[in-house]
Amino acid sequence: MDSEYSTRNRWLMRVLEDLHVVENRGSGINLMLDAMRSANLAPPKFEDKRNSFRVIFYNHTLLSPESISWLNQYAAYPLNDRQRLALVFLRQRERITNKVYQTLNRVDAQSAYRELRGLVDVELVQPHNTGRWTYYTLNIPDIVATTFAETPEERVLQYVREHGYITRGTLMRLLGYREGQAKWLLLKMQPEHLQSVGAGKGTRYVLP
């Protein structure tokens, strides 16, 4: 839904607000954000113009069953629920800023920066530009785990069954992962599904 309203007489509006005849403009935004977040809907987009205020609502849910299935591929990563929600948001909207992260998760700017940097550190998102112009995009392949046979874990196990072992480098090429992502997946699969043999760059991962 896309709507735009403007105040014809700003001075009259200010008097009515002071007399408590009407609510202060913007006083319902927090209630709106809470309601949309409770419904797992994407946060609205606000455009504050000089003489009008525009709000764009998105009617699609962030946490659909398909999105949750996709997100479960990264269950082993040391992320909190806010960071996981941001990943789903990025998958649908392609980029996120510190300000949008604040709106999405109801946190302050410092918390948003720290948690976004955490996603960068584990190589799940990539920063672009600097300072106030910084935004982030996904740094992971769009692989949807719709069935067990299509999960990254099963693809790794299938490779090990066929070749006897897998290395971190081979896993990266197999799944299109970066080094940090491959590391976390291998940690997740040990010791139940894989065990390591050797050390350093020569480490191989075999069936237990």
Side-chain angles (χ1 to χ4, degrees):
M1 183 170 64
D2 188 344
S3 302
E4 183 171 347
Y5 301 93
S6 62
T7 301
R8 292 181 179 273
N9 191 321
R10 288 177 292 169
W11 300 109
L12 177 60
M13 188 66 181
R14 182 173 298 177
V15 171
L16 292 175
E17 289 175 347
D18 292 340
L19 294 175
H20 303 289
V21 176
V22 298
E23 290 189 50
N24 291 328
R25 286 165 293 178
S27 61
I29 289 179
N30 287 336
L31 292 175
M32 179 201 312
L33 293 174
D34 287 339
M36 296 190 73
R37 195 171 193 278
S38 297
N40 292 324
L41 292 173
K45 180 180 179 180
F46 300 106
E47 295 181 358
D48 191 2
K49 302 180 180 180
R50 178 172 297 180
N51 295 319
S52 66
F53 187 75
R54 185 185 189 197
V55 183
I56 301 175
F57 293 94
Y58 300 92
N59 64 357
H60 57 79
T61 180
L62 283 175
L63 296 178
S64 65
E66 190 271 340
S67 294
I68 293 174
S69 178
W70 174 82
L71 188 61
N72 283 340
Q73 298 175 92
Y74 310 103
Y77 283 69
L79 308 176
N80 60 36
D81 289 342
R82 295 184 297 274
Q83 290 169 310
R84 297 182 190 281
L85 187 62
L87 289 178
V88 176
F89 179 90
L90 273 169
R91 186 168 180 249
Q92 296 183 6
R93 302 277 287 276
E94 296 185 0
R95 64 168 62 187
I96 194 171
T97 64
N98 184 291
K99 186 66 175 179
V100 172
Y101 191 98
Q102 293 177 54
T103 302
L104 179 67
N105 287 305
R106 307 300 304 278
V107 296
D108 58 33
Q110 289 186 343
S111 297
Y113 174 79
R114 182 171 59 252
E115 293 179 2
L116 284 166
R117 286 304 310 177
L119 290 171
V120 173
D121 290 343
V122 294
E123 300 181 337
L124 290 178
V125 304
Q126 181 176 358
H128 304 270
N129 297 335
T130 57
R132 60 179 297 187
W133 308 111
T134 302
Y135 66 92
Y136 304 82
T137 60
L138 278 179
N139 194 37
I140 52 183
D142 191 10
I143 302 172
V144 181
T146 54
T147 66
F148 178 73
E150 295 174 346
T151 64
E153 291 88 345
E154 181 58 23
R155 293 182 66 188
V156 170
L157 291 176
Q158 182 178 352
Y159 184 94
V160 175
R161 294 188 192 105
E162 294 176 356
H163 298 85
Y165 68 92
I166 194 170
T167 65
R168 186 185 300 180
T170 301
L171 186 149
M172 291 165 63
R173 291 189 293 273
L174 178 69
L175 299 179
Y177 278 11
R178 296 176 67 87
E179 185 173 1
Q181 297 166 277
K183 173 184 176 182
W184 284 111
L185 180 59
L186 289 168
L187 286 175
K188 175 185 176 182
M189 297 182 68
Q190 297 177 76
E192 182 177 358
H193 300 296
L194 293 176
Q195 68 179 26
S196 61
V197 177
K201 294 183 178 180
T203 302
R204 297 182 176 187
Y205 299 86
V206 301
L207 297 177

